[in-house]
Amino acid sequence: MKRKREEKEAAAEKKMEIVWQTPANPPEKHDYIFRDGRRHVRPYYFEFISHVKNRWAGKTIVDLFAEEFKGRPYDYYVGAVKCGRIQVDGEMVPVSYIVKSSQKISHFVHRCGLLPWLIARFTWIDCRHEPPVMAWDVPILDKEDDVVTVWKPATVPVHPCGQYRKNTVVGVLQAEHGLAPLFPVHRLDRLVSGLLILARNATRADLFRQEIEAGKVQKQYVAKVVGVFPEDEQIVDVNVNYNAREGRSTVEIRVHLQYTGHPIANDILYLSENVTNRSSEGVNADRAAHSPNNCLVPENNSSDKYEDSTEEDFDIDPMCTNCPNLVPKGYDGHEEGLWLHCVQYSGSGWVYKCPYPDWAVLT
């Protein structure tokens, strides 16, 4: 029985197609899978490199991983060494192999998109299952020699961060429009939609940065809030702290509005207790209202109609704890965008605009 199981696992390993992803392998159209109104990313392997600690020397290869990376059971590491998922200096070794200082250890592992917290000089091959985002296009609003502006959909992060790499605005623009490199000029949180300015070279990005840091750039947002917002100017003195790893601000315009007593009407995090949760109908309406497909954008940038992909769109890794699911463990799949939208940025001799979403149009 044990031999049959080992033969089955070996056959599955041989059949499995490993797609290596490095900065030299940019996102492509076929990397995306569309299901139930969500843009998923086909699971892929990614290489991470870090630096070795001397205290690891003298341990067996299995003990090293079992003691330092406790997220998997001991038996997993035994099997990983035996089948070549864990290698030393690019070669298979026995489970009793004693590691030496400065050796390169490779771990070919199928796991979710969180980067491992490593302190060693070795290569970590991570097969990522990125969280899905809403299946909306990223419409191009303006395309110039050194600047491109787009309508960023809600739920999509701007650039690679945390669990996201391909399911980002930068990734989608590279995959679907061949736009690279791109340098985001300003921040726009993942759940926020609207205008996003991207420089097409480092020089132009630096000029934008200098204007922003000098306080010469004006920003305009539109939000749907609780209550009747006063017509006169409101000044709120709250610091903004940006978390680059998560791609979001810990304090942002959402807190400014809550501070005034008018939180964003669908922002459950900052709504007061007397505001009830949205109904399922409200959530569906919210989803439709955020979609760039329902708003006025240039005709040549109209969004594609993404159809659901078939069930056989990616290879299953027999050792993966996430397969056969596309999404990583822990993702609940019910995330929606906020009623917060970036409308305009303007500076010295330039102005860029984005159309209003449906929820912001007065009827």
Side-chain angles (χ1 to χ4, degrees):
M1 181 67 70
K2 181 179 179 181
R3 183 174 181 178
K4 287 183 178 180
R5 185 176 69 252
E6 291 176 348
E7 290 176 351
K8 185 177 180 180
E9 291 177 353
E13 285 285 317
K14 186 176 181 179
K15 181 180 178 182
M16 184 189 64
E17 178 184 359
I18 296 179
V19 181
W20 303 107
Q21 297 292 334
T22 69
N25 302 110
E28 299 181 3
K29 283 186 177 181
H30 62 75
D31 291 333
Y32 299 100
I33 298 174
F34 298 92
R35 293 182 183 171
D36 302 322
R38 303 278 175 173
R39 179 192 291 266
H40 298 262
V41 173
R42 196 183 309 275
Y44 59 93
Y45 291 81
F46 193 79
E47 182 176 14
F48 296 96
I49 300 176
S50 196
H51 293 269
V52 167
K53 277 195 168 182
N54 290 332
R55 65 182 176 83
W56 288 13
K59 295 183 179 180
T60 68
I61 185 69
V62 173
D63 287 344
L64 185 160
F65 275 89
E67 294 173 9
E68 299 294 334
F69 308 104
K70 303 181 185 296
R72 296 176 183 268
Y74 187 90
D75 290 344
Y76 164 81
Y77 292 118
V78 172
V81 172
K82 286 183 177 180
C83 74
R85 284 294 184 94
I86 294 178
Q87 300 179 2
V88 178
D89 290 333
E91 297 181 357
M92 295 179 62
V93 296
V95 294
S96 59
Y97 183 85
I98 304 296
V99 298
K100 304 177 183 66
S101 180
S102 299
Q103 286 184 310
K104 186 175 83 169
I105 302 175
S106 302
H107 187 190
F108 303 85
V109 58
H110 204 258
R111 63 189 297 278
C112 71
L114 289 174
L115 276 69
W117 195 250
L118 304 179
I119 318 172
R121 180 179 176 168
F122 64 89
T123 305
W124 182 279
I125 305 299
D126 174 19
C127 188
R128 293 182 141 192
H129 286 237
E130 292 191 23
V133 298
M134 297 303 296
W136 295 326
D137 193 14
V138 181
I140 296 175
L141 302 173
D142 298 280
K143 189 175 181 181
E144 304 170 3
D145 290 341
D146 56 358
V147 178
V148 61
T149 68
V150 301
W151 181 321
K152 175 196 169 303
T155 77
V156 184
V158 172
H159 52 73
C161 58
Q163 299 186 66
Y164 300 89
R165 178 172 175 264
K166 297 186 180 185
N167 250 350
T168 62
V169 172
V170 171
V172 172
L173 288 174
Q174 186 170 13
E176 300 186 351
H177 299 279
L179 291 171
L182 293 174
F183 303 82
V185 169
H186 58 98
R187 297 162 180 165
L188 208 58
D189 284 357
R190 190 168 57 83
L191 298 182
V192 178
S193 62
L195 176 69
L196 178 65
I197 306 171
L198 304 111
R200 303 184 69 177
N201 56 68
T203 300
R204 189 69 180 92
D206 191 56
L207 292 176
F208 276 121
R209 178 189 59 79
Q210 292 177 31
E211 280 197 63
I212 292 174
E213 291 181 353
K216 297 179 179 179
V217 174
Q218 300 295 317
K219 316 168 189 178
Q220 293 183 25
Y221 285 76
V222 61
K224 189 174 183 179
V225 302
V226 173
V228 179
F229 199 84
E231 294 185 3
D232 56 323
E233 182 179 281
Q234 302 292 305
I235 298 177
V236 180
D237 185 12
V238 178
N239 291 329
V240 175
N241 299 312
Y242 186 73
N243 185 327
R245 178 177 174 81
E246 297 298 329
R248 63 182 177 84
S249 302
T250 53
V251 179
E252 67 285 287
I253 189 168
R254 296 166 65 182
V255 175
H256 287 115
L257 289 169
Q258 193 252 1
Y259 186 86
T260 67
H262 300 279
I264 298 172
N266 72 339
D267 191 351
I268 304 301
L269 182 62
Y270 294 108
L271 287 175
S272 59
E273 295 180 358
N274 61 342
V275 179
T276 59
N277 291 342
R278 290 172 290 165
S279 64
S280 58
E281 291 80 7
V283 171
N284 292 332
D286 176 19
R287 179 179 303 166
H290 272 89
S291 174
N293 303 347
N294 294 336
C295 307
L296 298 175
V297 294
E299 290 184 3
N300 61 336
N301 290 320
S302 60
S303 302
D304 296 329
K305 299 295 184 182
Y306 295 115
E307 297 181 358
D308 280 8
S309 307
T310 61
E311 291 297 323
E312 297 75 29
D313 277 316
F314 68 99
D315 293 319
I316 306 300
D317 188 327
M319 298 185 70
C320 176
T321 57
N322 291 305
C323 284
N325 299 316
L326 270 174
V327 300
K329 286 185 176 180
Y331 179 79
D332 59 17
H334 300 296
E335 194 171 53
E336 303 293 335
L338 292 173
W339 284 332
L340 179 61
H341 185 84
C342 183
V343 175
Q344 177 176 303
Y345 262 64
S346 59
S348 302
W350 58 267
V351 58
Y352 295 107
K353 298 181 180 181
C354 183
Y356 282 76
D358 281 1
W359 54 261
V361 177
L362 296 178
T363 57

